C-alpha cells in the first residue's frame, strides 16, 4: 500500500456546456503553476428513516466537495480565467460585482510513496474564488505571501458525476492517465 506524499501539476479546464442527458464539453486544460497544497472535503448529507420509534435505515449521500487551494502566486490571466474577473485593454485585472465565476474542472496528481506512482484526480464542475489577499511589509527577514482559492464542486448535470480518481500503479488506468492533463476524463473537448 502506497501513501500520498505530495501534490503537483494543477490544471483547470473551463466547462463550456453541461447539457442534461448529454455529454459535458470543456476547453483544453490550462496549467496553474506554484501549487503548495490542496484540500478536498466531501459534503455529505445524512438521511435517517424512522419507524416504530427507532431508526429503521440511515444512509449518507455525497452532494459535492469543498476545495481549498494554496498557490505560491497567480498571474492576472489565470485569476481572470478562474474567477471570472476581466482584464481590460491595458492588461489590468478588474474585479466587478457583475462578474460571474466560471465553472471549471480541476485536475492534478499526487505522488505516491511506492515505485514512482501517482494518484490522478479530477473534480468535474465547480467555481473557485480568491477570498483573501495579504501583503506584509519587509522586516528583518523576507516573508512571502501565498494565494488562497476556495470553491465548491458539484455534480455534473449531464451525468451526476462529481469526481474521478485513477492510480498509475493500476494497469487498467494507463490509457485514462495518458491524456489526463490534455483532456478532461470522460468528456468532450471543445475544438480550438
Amino acid at each position: 500500500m502506497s501513501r500520498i506524499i505530495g501534490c503537483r501539476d494543477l490544471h483547470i479546464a473551463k466547462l463550456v456546456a453541461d447539457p442534461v442527458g448529454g455529454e459535458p464539453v470543456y476547453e483544453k486544460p490550462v496549467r496553474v503553476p506554484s501549487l503548495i497544497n490542496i484540500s478536498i472535503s466531501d459534503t455529505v448529507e445524512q438521511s435517517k428513516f424512522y419507524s416504530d420509534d427507532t431508526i429503521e435505515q440511515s444512509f449518507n449521500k455525497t452532494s459535492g466537495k469543498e476545495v481549498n487551494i494554496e498557490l505560491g502566486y497567480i498571474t492576472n490571466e489565470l485569476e481572470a480565467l478562474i474567477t471570472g474577473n476581466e482584464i481590460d485593454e491595458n492588461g489590468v485585472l478588474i474585479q466587478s460585482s457583475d462578474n460571474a465565476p466560471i465553472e471549471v474542472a480541476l485536475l492534478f496528481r499526487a505522488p505516491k510513496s511506492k515505485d514512482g506512482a501517482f494518484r490522478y484526480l479530477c473534480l468535474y464542475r465547480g467555481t473557485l474564488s480568491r477570498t483573501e489577499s495579504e501583503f506584509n511589509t519587509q522586516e528583518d527577514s523576507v516573508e512571502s505571501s501565498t494565494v488562497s482559492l476556495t470553491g465548491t464542486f458539484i455534480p455534473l448535470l449531464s451525468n451526476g458525476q462529481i469526481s474521478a480518481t485513477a492510480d498509475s500503479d493500476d494497469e487498467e488506468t494507463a490509457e485514462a492517465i495518458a491524456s489526463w492533463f490534455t483532456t478532461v476524463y470522460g468528456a468532450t473537448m471543445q475544438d480550438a
Side-chain angles (χ1 to χ4, degrees):
M1 184 60 88
S2 295
R3 293 181 180 267
I4 301 296
I5 57 171
C7 60
R8 63 173 72 160
D9 301 322
L10 178 64
H11 288 68
I12 59 166
K14 182 179 177 181
L15 179 61
V16 177
D18 184 21
V20 175
E23 197 170 307
V25 179
Y26 293 89
E27 289 182 357
K28 183 178 179 179
V30 175
R31 187 170 188 279
V32 179
S34 76
L35 177 62
I36 296 172
N37 69 55
I38 184 167
S39 66
I40 302 169
S41 303
D42 285 355
T43 303
V44 178
E45 298 173 6
Q46 185 177 35
S47 296
K48 296 178 184 175
F49 296 98
Y50 294 85
S51 64
D52 295 323
D53 294 333
T54 62
I55 296 176
E56 175 187 310
Q57 185 179 19
S58 174
F59 67 92
N60 296 330
K61 179 181 178 184
T62 301
S63 60
K65 295 182 180 288
E66 298 297 319
V67 176
N68 292 299
I69 301 170
E70 184 179 9
L71 302 172
Y73 65 90
I74 190 168
T75 64
N76 283 345
E77 292 78 12
L78 275 174
E79 185 170 345
L81 176 63
I82 291 169
T83 64
N85 293 321
E86 297 177 2
I87 296 181
D88 72 9
E89 64 278 355
N90 297 315
V92 176
L93 179 69
I94 304 295
Q95 184 178 29
S96 168
S97 61
D98 296 333
N99 292 345
I102 296 171
E103 289 187 317
V104 296
L106 192 68
L107 309 122
F108 68 100
R109 65 183 181 158
K112 297 171 81 175
S113 62
K114 186 176 176 188
D115 300 327
F118 287 90
R119 170 158 292 165
Y120 289 77
L121 294 102
C122 173
L123 304 179
Y124 285 113
R125 178 180 170 221
T127 58
L128 294 167
S129 61
R130 183 176 182 168
T131 55
E132 184 178 328
S133 297
E134 183 177 338
F135 307 93
N136 296 315
T137 189
Q138 288 187 20
E139 296 176 355
D140 293 335
S141 62
V142 176
E143 292 184 29
S144 66
S145 297
T146 59
V147 175
S148 296
L149 302 174
T150 59
T152 301
F153 284 75
I154 58 177
L156 286 165
L157 295 173
S158 54
N159 57 24
Q161 294 177 352
I162 299 171
S163 66
T165 305
D167 290 316
S168 66
D169 50 359
D170 180 353
E171 292 178 14
E172 294 178 6
T173 65
E175 186 177 328
I177 63 175
S179 60
W180 200 265
F181 298 119
T182 57
T183 63
V184 175
Y185 178 72
T188 301
M189 302 311 294
Q190 184 179 50
D191 294 331

